[in-house]
Amino acid sequence: MFMMQKSSGVALVSALIFMFIVVIFLSIVVTNSVNSQRNATDSLRTSQAQFAAEAGLDDAVATVWHRLWGTTIPPEQRSLTRYAAELAKAPLNLGAEGATYRSSVSTLSSGSSYSYEITRLADVKANEVLEAVVLRVKAVGMLPDGRTTRVLQSDFTVRRGFFPFDFALLTNKAECIFCHADIKSLDALLGDPTSDPDSWWDRTKVGVLSSLIMRGGEHAGTVSGSLLTRGDVYQQGGNAGVSDLLYTTMTVGQDRISQNTATAINSSPEYQADCRTEPNDCKTKRALYLNYPTGSSSSDFPDGELPNSFPLPIPDANNNRLIDESEWTDAVDESVSGVSDAYPPGTITADMQVLIGLGTPSWGGSSQTKTSEELGKLPSIREDNGRPANVVVLDGSNNPIQVTGTVFINGDVIIRGKVQGNGTILARGNIYVLGDLTYDCSRSQQNSQCDYKDPSKLPQLSLVAGGSILVGDYVTVTTLDNDTLDLLKAGNVQETFSYCKNNPPDVTRCGSDLSSSQPNFALVQLANWNRDELWKALNNPDGYTPRFYTYGESEVYYTNNCGHNSQDYSAYRSLTDAAKTGGSVRLCKGDAEAGDPESIPSTLPANVANAVKIDLNPKSFTAEAIKNLWLESVQGRPVGALRTDGLLYSANAVFSIMHSDNPGAVAKGQWDLRGALVAPDTGILTPGPCAAANTARTCVVDGREYENYGLRIYHDNRLRPRIAQDQKLGLFRSQWRVVPR
């Protein structure tokens, strides 16, 4: 009996304990449910308040921009000075730093409300000239109960905008560059597009402002996007239009690239439009636009803005097509004082050699850190062609070059190797890329070999030249017809036109093919450019400022006919001799003459006589020095495409030749540029490895299979040069952030 009572008592206690545990568990569940519901409700209320605050920021934009201008002041008449005057008027009364305007409360249809206040911050000035007006906006969003609020803050800057740069290649005159070219987005390194839209590539664009010449019967390459052209579009030989072997991978009307199957543009008429004769067709995104329209607003352009004139990296205030001392000093001063939107101040750390004046450049300088101000204000040593003679050699072969911000160099730059950081090297003279120049990601990706599938963690390098940018071995004497010269042998450096015309036939200095003595590609190209410049200048002496290219001398030579390829030296004339003995210059369309030649007067017009001369080989060092530095960089290098990472932006020319057939042709006619290319003149000859199979997509050379491309540009759209010329005034908003009330 006692045992039965004891057992019943134990059972009762166990039941009570179990019930207690259940009650506690249910209480926890209910409490968590209530808390979760409360948190969800609070989160929703906060989001609703934030939406109201964002509406306040948008209304503030209308107040200080759209309503301020009204309908009486058109965009082309809007200046920063006028904006500041309008801002000071009632009801805003924001005429001075610290002035504040407070809005009334506005109620939304949901019942939420907002208000905002606008405070004028310190203006941005350069040499007491107003550069930008800065406003700080604080918007408060509130729910109907008056208890839940959200406060957002954003800065508005009113200044002249920058050109919306989205071009893999932008140039005035493109010659030879479309020879087995392959131009696509950096997205291509992620792999071929699939049916998944997330794998599609950004569509890239190429812009040609005045003249495009292609080889008609050879593989012209592929543009994975659109080619926008103005002016003359010809094939060598004189036929109008692009090569029959120019391809695209885009689909008409499509914003992104969803396939990697190339289609010949000329065999599919729907892929192209002439904006002059077919304006309606021009409104749909096409692979090729002829006669792309000019305009003053974004609505004038069917496929994005294309500048009406080539944008210079430093404004040319006096329009003499040269960076003068005052223009250079102003740009450096604005940068180092922190008031330049385009070029923030910076530093560079590198194995560096700095030559003040004449000297012999060499790799392997001492490790130094220099500021923009130190290098930008090197003593300006003037030569007889008005160019500085300082040289800075940057060697990243052993220790990566580290760049931040903008580094101005008052002279020429020679560079190779690895690069870290996010910055711009801006040289007043030429930039010589004499070897591979690639990113090092040991900081951002913890690996010196960069993963290009994650562009957000890649360094960013911009090379900007007030002179020209020259890549690779452009000084070797060989012509296209001479494929026996050993390119890895020292010497055999191209001499000047004057030397070679007066000392034929010096094969080791002036080149030859099987039948005659001919200049190399560099001399041929500059003579063709000079011919075109001379014809324009003589036909418009009061309205055109020419500039000529020279090679190691001050004399200007031009092609005496419309031949595009290398010819005997007799086909090239000096401007001085032509004026003395009587000469003429021809207008050319492709390789064909167009119209009557223009006579060269014995007394040259002022615009011709005083034209700027851009020397590919400044007198501060020799062509032999360039060749020797190139040889040091590529001796023992594996055979394959030359690699360059970054933006190449020149005020004059980007020039390069990658030999294909010669012994020692280490690049096999290929150049891999991961960035973008911007220059008025592009003289790039990269024939690819398959010279004997011009129409083939692949070929086998020395037992190795190669893709048949020459220049391949993987467009890195992070690299956007900040071009301010011809841009309209605009309001630019910073990202908002949450702040206390």
Side-chain angles (χ1 to χ4, degrees):
M1 181 76 176
F2 175 77
M3 291 298 295
M4 291 179 61
Q5 290 177 346
K6 184 176 181 181
S7 296
S8 299
V10 171
L12 179 62
V13 171
S14 297
L16 290 173
I17 292 173
F18 176 75
M19 291 178 65
F20 181 71
I21 292 173
V22 170
V23 169
I24 292 175
F25 177 75
L26 290 174
S27 298
I28 292 172
V29 171
V30 171
T31 300
N32 287 341
S33 177
V34 170
N35 288 339
S36 296
Q37 185 174 7
R38 182 181 297 118
N39 290 338
T41 301
D42 289 345
S43 178
L44 177 61
R45 292 167 63 84
T46 300
S47 296
Q48 290 172 336
Q50 179 167 303
F51 293 151
E54 290 179 22
L57 292 178
D58 291 339
D59 194 18
V61 171
T63 296
V64 299
W65 189 253
H66 303 294
R67 289 194 284 266
L68 178 141
W69 293 117
T71 59
T72 60
I73 304 175
E76 61 271 14
Q77 296 180 13
R78 296 174 183 176
S79 68
L80 192 59
T81 302
R82 174 173 280 186
Y83 179 80
E86 295 294 320
L87 199 64
K89 297 178 181 178
L92 297 179
N93 298 315
L94 293 171
E97 181 182 353
T100 299
Y101 167 81
R102 292 179 176 84
S103 76
S104 58
V105 177
S106 298
T107 302
L108 301 172
S109 59
S110 63
S112 301
S113 61
Y114 67 81
S115 63
Y116 55 87
E117 65 178 32
I118 305 170
T119 302
R120 184 165 179 175
L121 304 183
D123 294 336
V124 177
K125 294 184 176 181
N127 299 323
E128 299 305 314
V129 176
L130 183 63
E131 294 285 329
V133 171
V134 184
L135 305 170
R136 176 159 293 168
V137 180
K138 185 182 289 187
V140 180
M142 183 178 296
L143 296 191
D145 60 13
R147 297 195 311 270
T148 305
T149 61
R150 190 75 156 175
V151 184
L152 304 180
Q153 179 177 294
S154 177
D155 289 347
F156 297 174
T157 302
V158 178
R159 55 177 167 76
R160 191 164 299 281
F162 292 106
F163 175 70
F165 191 91
D166 56 357
F167 292 91
L169 166 65
L170 179 66
T171 185
N172 271 346
K173 292 183 287 188
E175 299 187 25
C176 298
I177 193 170
F178 285 97
C179 180
H180 308 288
D182 187 14
I183 302 175
K184 59 185 67 172
S185 167
L186 199 64
D187 293 344
L189 295 175
L190 296 172
D192 285 349
T194 67
S195 58
D196 181 2
D198 289 339
S199 73
W200 295 359
W201 305 346
D202 282 341
R203 179 175 62 98
T204 194
K205 293 195 291 187
V206 173
V208 180
L209 305 184
S210 65
S211 174
L212 171 62
I213 298 177
M214 291 184 171
R215 295 182 179 229
E218 296 186 10
H219 193 287
T222 303
V223 178
S224 293
S226 300
L227 172 57
L228 286 56
T229 70
R230 293 197 191 109
D232 298 332
V233 179
Y234 279 90
Q235 302 172 24
Q236 288 187 25
N239 293 330
V242 297
S243 165
D244 290 336
L245 299 177
L246 176 66
Y247 296 87
T248 184
T249 62
M250 74 171 286
T251 301
V252 174
Q254 200 167 30
D255 274 319
R256 301 185 69 197
I257 303 298
S258 59
Q259 62 178 359
N260 197 22
T261 302
T263 301
I265 291 177
N266 275 349
S267 65
S268 304
E270 70 274 14
Y271 277 81
Q272 57 184 291
D274 189 323
C275 297
R276 181 178 298 159
T277 61
E278 306 162 353
N280 290 330
D281 291 346
C282 194
K283 295 177 182 178
T284 303
K285 289 184 172 62
R286 307 280 178 170
L288 172 66
Y289 296 90
L290 302 173
N291 298 306
Y292 198 76
T294 58
S296 58
S297 67
S298 58
S299 61
D300 297 324
F301 303 103
D303 194 11
E305 187 171 348
L306 182 68
N308 296 332
S309 59
F310 187 84
L312 295 174
I314 290 179
D316 183 13
N318 58 6
N319 194 36
N320 67 347
R321 302 182 74 171
L322 179 73
I323 299 178
D324 296 307
E325 192 73 23
S326 59
E327 294 165 350
W328 176 258
T329 301
D330 287 346
V332 175
D333 288 344
E334 288 180 8
S335 175
V336 299
S337 61
V339 298
S340 173
D341 287 331
Y343 301 117
T347 61
I348 186 168
T349 301
D351 293 341
M352 183 186 311
Q353 180 192 31
V354 181
L355 297 175
I356 308 298
L358 302 177
T360 301
S362 62
W363 298 123
S366 60
S367 182
Q368 301 179 54
T369 297
K370 294 285 188 180
T371 67
S372 179
E373 187 169 20
E374 288 178 285
L375 293 173
K377 295 187 176 181
L378 288 172
S380 181
I381 300 174
R382 315 297 292 185
E383 295 291 342
D384 59 5
N385 61 354
R387 295 286 305 282
N390 302 311
V391 181
V392 177
V393 183
L394 302 172
D395 187 1
S397 58
N398 295 317
N399 303 305
I401 301 164
Q402 299 176 25
V403 187
T404 61
T406 308
V407 178
F408 289 81
I409 296 179
N410 190 16
D412 299 310
V413 173
I414 299 172
I415 189 170
R416 72 170 182 181
K418 297 283 188 178
V419 178
Q420 295 177 347
N422 182 348
T424 297
I425 298 173
L426 200 163
R428 188 175 174 188
N430 293 338
I431 295 178
Y432 301 86
V433 182
L434 300 181
D436 296 293
L437 182 65
T438 58
Y439 291 147
D440 181 291
C441 293
S442 55
R443 290 185 171 186
S444 58
Q445 297 180 346
Q446 287 71 55
N447 194 328
S448 61
Q449 300 299 317
C450 294
D451 179 7
Y452 289 83
K453 296 180 181 179
D454 188 2
S456 65
K457 293 184 179 180
L458 294 176
Q460 296 183 51
L461 174 66
S462 296
L463 295 181
V464 183
S468 296
I469 298 178
L470 302 107
V471 182
D473 180 16
Y474 72 95
V475 299
T476 294
V477 71
T478 185
T479 67
L480 293 177
D481 298 316
N482 184 351
D483 59 5
T484 61
L485 183 70
D486 184 356
L487 299 177
L488 294 182
K489 182 180 179 181
N492 295 312
V493 173
Q494 175 70 52
E495 260 291 357
T496 65
F497 265 121
S498 294
Y499 174 90
C500 292
K501 285 178 70 69
N502 295 327
N503 296 276
D506 187 343
V507 175
T508 62
R509 308 294 292 179
C510 299
S512 70
D513 65 4
L514 298 178
S515 60
S516 63
S517 182
Q518 298 179 346
N520 74 356
F521 177 71
L523 266 63
V524 171
Q525 191 61 68
L526 70 85
N528 289 341
W529 287 336
N530 288 347
R531 175 197 62 208
D532 296 342
E533 286 286 283
L534 180 58
W535 193 90
K536 281 185 184 179
L538 291 175
N539 276 270
N540 192 7
D542 298 322
Y544 185 73
T545 303
R547 54 98 166 83
F548 299 118
Y549 292 98
T550 60
Y551 179 99
E553 61 178 330
S554 61
E555 187 59 64
V556 174
Y557 279 84
Y558 69 97
T559 312
N560 198 31
N561 55 45
C562 290
H564 188 81
N565 290 328
S566 180
Q567 305 169 69
D568 186 80
Y569 279 99
S570 61
Y572 305 95
R573 296 203 67 184
S574 78
L575 184 55
T576 300
D577 287 344
K580 286 181 178 179
T581 61
S584 61
V585 62
R586 290 167 172 79
L587 172 64
C588 302
K589 305 289 187 181
D591 287 343
E593 294 184 20
D596 296 327
E598 183 74 21
S599 297
I600 297 175
S602 57
T603 301
L604 295 174
N607 65 329
V608 175
N610 300 325
V612 168
K613 300 171 184 177
I614 305 298
D615 199 337
L616 301 187
N617 288 339
K619 295 180 180 178
S620 50
F621 56 93
T622 64
E624 283 82 356
I626 294 173
K627 178 66 178 287
N628 291 336
L629 291 174
W630 168 258
L631 291 178
E632 286 186 50
S633 294
V634 300
Q635 292 279 8
R637 173 190 184 276
V639 174
L642 186 78
R643 270 282 306 282
T644 306
D645 288 349
L647 166 71
L648 304 183
Y649 183 11
S650 169
N652 294 286
V654 170
F655 188 92
S656 178
I657 180 170
M658 297 296 157
H659 298 281
S660 176
D661 295 332
N662 292 78
V666 295
K668 282 299 176 188
Q670 296 179 311
W671 181 18
D672 184 338
L673 172 62
R674 301 184 181 186
L677 194 155
V678 186
D681 300 325
T682 49
I684 297 173
L685 183 57
T686 51
C690 311
N694 286 321
T695 62
R697 301 296 295 273
T698 62
C699 65
V700 176
V701 179
D702 298 329
R704 175 180 169 184
E705 185 176 27
Y706 290 89
E707 291 183 80
N708 193 15
Y709 76 88
L711 172 65
R712 174 170 283 167
I713 300 178
Y714 292 102
H715 181 214
D716 185 349
N717 61 15
R718 302 173 307 151
L719 298 168
R720 293 172 175 261
R722 307 190 74 182
I723 302 167
Q725 295 167 328
D726 298 326
Q727 303 304 302
K728 302 296 184 293
L729 195 69
L731 183 146
F732 302 86
R733 299 169 59 174
S734 70
Q735 290 186 336
W736 55 257
R737 61 188 180 93
V738 179
V739 297
R741 183 162 186 179

